[in-house]
Amino acid sequence: MTGTATEISRGASVSLIVQKFGGTSVGTVDRIRNAAARALATQRAGHQVVVIVSAMAGETNRLLALASELSPLPDAREVDALASTGEQVSAALMALAIQAQGGKARSLLGHQLGIITDSAYTKARIKAIDAQRLHDELADGTIAVVAGFQGVDEAGNITTLGRGGSDTSAVAVAAAVGAACEIFTDVDGVYTTDPNICPTAKKIERISYEEMLELASLGAKVLQIRSVEVAMKYGVPVHVRSSFSEAPGTWVVGEEQSLERVTVTGVALDRNESRVMLVGVDDRPGIVAQAFTALSRENISVDMIIQSPSAHTTPAGPDGAVSRKTDVTFTVTKADLARTQQVMESMRVVVGAREVRYEEDIVKVSIVGLGMRSHAGVAARMFELLAAENINIEAISTSEIKISCLVATRYAELAVRALHDGFGLGTPA
Ligand code: ADP
Ligand code: ASP
Ligand code: MG
């Protein structure tokens, strides 16, 4: 997959721990105090500690909403300059909280720590981190408090790493300095599905990088997908746990260390997809390539793609010639929909589309499991379980270890519960 953190070499340092606190975990001054106390306790136990913080809960959304009030398609450079400020606030507050409890702490923004990224605003990738700077900060017993989610490109522009990007900051910093990584969040681990949707969800003790990568990419936002990519690439052990309890959470580890091979490990729900349908496109070689090249030029990634014969095929004329047409359906994230619309409007004539339809009222439900590699009939069972609830499947995509179905938004929770319990993942009621 993608090569984040190209210049991060896995450093070697004895007892260094990176602790990342998510939005809820730094959502109030009291919670920041609580997180500070944890970092200090870890330090007292003999470790050097780097804390990575997210913005306070709701803050990034608030900032992005301000930008949208001014423009439907705000300039991405300014969006990043704005959105990155949430983490600056919590980094400074966290450093103050540690100091107030008698510790030494300094806040560091992305540019101060040399977190160099590419220039893809709002979804930048980390290219390098100044590990020496971090080691220098830690040398005298200081806790370094790093603002997550942000970096700078080579020209010094502020960038952000995509929603949920503080997870990636944490894992990348851990990789750079050879540390283990603890992700403190508002659930006590990775569950068989989102415990906020499905009351029977169970905590997973150990999960492989591969499965976590699929779950994250399919909507389980407990870890940002890129954080799992970096963890896998550099072999960073990641412990996902609650900032409100001492209970052990979930270890994300190599396949060989994960537990016994069950067929389906988890169910994920992604509410961020939207569907685009190019109706009545010319059925000629190169047409689809043109449309998708235009999207990739804009850095828009496409997920599911389906091509089917169009009802709009022009009937045979007097000369017997039929103009064959096809419908091309694909999904992009809701965040990319406005830009996709722009691109498609410019491509419509080029590809000869009769019409372009946009649909936001859909979600993607997926099942994931390493055991699917060797078990037949999993897809059939998935479709049966959805059919039993009268849920219509609007599109399907599969890989070696996952199957995804697009369904109408109103079925989101029902589909997740039906699949979760149908594959026997739940705790008995
Ligand atoms: P943070 O602000 O700490 O980064 P997030 O909101 O980004 O926290 O991620 C934690 C949330 O992820 C949980 O509250 C839960 O609703 C959601 N989630 C989705 N899928 C899962 C899953 N399989 N296991 C645990 N949490 C999940
Ligand atoms: N604050 C950013 C967001 O909400 C990054 C993060 O929380 O990880 O997406
Ligand atoms: Mg998060």
Side-chain angles (χ1 to χ4, degrees):
M1 210 172 239
T2 39
T4 317
T6 46
E7 287 177 43
I8 300 168
S9 52
R10 181 104 171 97
S13 166
V14 238
S15 60
L16 215 156
I17 294 190
V18 171
Q19 299 187 313
K20 178 255 174 180
F21 294 93
T24 315
S25 311
V26 296
T28 63
V29 167
D30 261 345
R31 287 182 172 177
I32 292 176
R33 259 190 214 113
N34 172 51
R38 239 183 220 277
L40 280 164
T42 307
Q43 189 183 49
R44 276 195 300 275
H47 304 285
Q48 287 187 320
V49 181
V50 180
V51 170
I52 312 276
V53 287
S54 287
M56 296 169 84
E59 179 63 7
T60 309
N61 285 346
R62 186 184 75 85
L63 294 167
L64 295 176
L66 290 175
S68 313
E69 272 185 52
L70 290 167
S71 159
L73 260 184
D75 176 61
R77 179 183 186 276
E78 304 315 322
V79 168
D80 276 2
L82 174 70
S84 63
T85 61
E87 273 71 11
Q88 178 166 353
V89 171
S90 25
L93 290 175
M94 181 67 75
L96 290 172
I98 293 169
Q99 290 166 2
Q101 292 174 43
K104 283 195 210 167
R106 271 158 67 88
S107 66
L108 293 165
L109 299 180
H111 72 89
Q112 292 171 313
L113 189 53
I115 300 186
I116 307 298
T117 70
D118 61 20
S119 303
Y121 296 119
T122 77
K123 46 176 108 163
R125 279 170 190 276
I126 298 177
K127 291 163 69 177
I129 292 178
D130 187 349
Q132 194 51 52
R133 171 77 204 267
L134 200 52
H135 284 302
D136 294 347
E137 289 286 340
L138 298 170
D140 65 345
T142 296
I143 294 180
V145 183
V146 178
F149 184 50
Q150 55 174 268
V152 277
D153 71 4
E154 269 155 32
N157 299 296
I158 295 172
T159 54
T160 66
L161 309 179
R163 298 309 306 269
S166 297
D167 296 330
T168 303
S169 310
V171 177
V173 165
V177 296
C181 185
E182 289 185 297
I183 303 282
F184 287 96
T185 183
D186 57 1
V187 280
D188 56 6
V190 178
Y191 277 69
T192 46
T193 193
D194 188 340
N196 290 316
I197 294 182
C198 188
T200 58
K202 267 193 308 210
K203 188 166 82 185
I204 301 171
E205 261 173 66
R206 284 169 172 274
I207 187 169
S208 66
Y209 293 125
E210 291 82 354
E211 288 166 306
M212 193 62 236
L213 201 57
E214 288 285 5
L215 282 176
S217 73
L218 297 169
K221 69 166 182 164
V222 60
L223 284 178
Q224 196 203 33
I225 175 165
R226 283 188 193 160
S227 71
V228 189
E229 288 169 12
V230 178
M232 184 158 142
K233 182 164 176 192
Y234 296 97
V236 180
V238 176
H239 187 191
V240 180
R241 53 189 305 198
S242 166
S243 61
F244 308 115
S245 88
E246 293 300 323
T250 300
W251 282 92
V252 189
V253 291
E255 189 177 327
E256 59 295 341
Q257 298 168 52
S258 63
L259 282 185
E260 66 177 291
R261 205 54 38 82
V262 288
T263 313
V264 175
T265 305
V267 178
L269 171 66
D270 190 347
R271 296 178 185 277
N272 286 318
E273 300 252 316
S274 55
R275 178 170 55 181
V276 181
M277 190 171 175
L278 295 168
V279 182
V281 174
D282 292 339
D283 195 5
R284 285 188 281 115
I287 290 293
V288 174
Q290 283 186 48
F292 289 104
T293 304
L295 289 170
S296 74
R297 235 183 272 124
E298 289 295 315
N299 217 346
I300 296 172
S301 7
V302 171
D303 182 22
M304 298 168 139
I305 305 174
I306 300 159
Q307 193 179 352
S308 48
S310 179
H312 296 288
T313 293
T314 318
D319 57 352
V322 179
S323 148
R324 283 198 308 151
K325 298 280 186 180
T326 166
D327 293 339
V328 179
T329 303
F330 59 92
T331 61
V332 295
T333 63
K334 289 197 166 90
D336 280 339
L337 187 61
R339 283 189 312 126
T340 303
Q341 250 164 312
Q342 264 189 342
V343 174
M344 285 302 121
E345 285 322 305
S346 66
M347 289 309 292
R348 205 171 64 81
V349 179
V350 183
V351 302
R354 209 182 143 98
E355 175 193 0
V356 189
R357 290 187 206 145
Y358 305 95
E359 167 74 270
E360 288 195 79
D361 192 20
I362 49 138
V363 298
K364 185 171 69 176
V365 280
S366 312
I367 57 174
V368 171
L370 284 176
M372 283 164 61
R373 284 180 190 149
S374 49
H375 281 78
V378 183
R381 178 81 186 123
M382 179 180 195
F383 306 153
E384 270 170 16
L385 287 166
L386 294 175
E389 299 292 343
N390 246 322
I391 299 172
N392 191 41
I393 300 170
E394 317 226 358
I396 299 164
S397 73
T398 64
S399 81
E400 214 189 359
I401 65 165
K402 72 114 202 248
I403 307 170
S404 301
C405 294
L406 220 52
V407 303
T409 307
R410 64 183 180 284
Y411 297 129
E413 278 97 359
L414 179 62
V416 167
R417 289 192 206 117
L419 295 173
H420 184 262
D421 295 352
F423 279 104
L425 297 180
T427 41

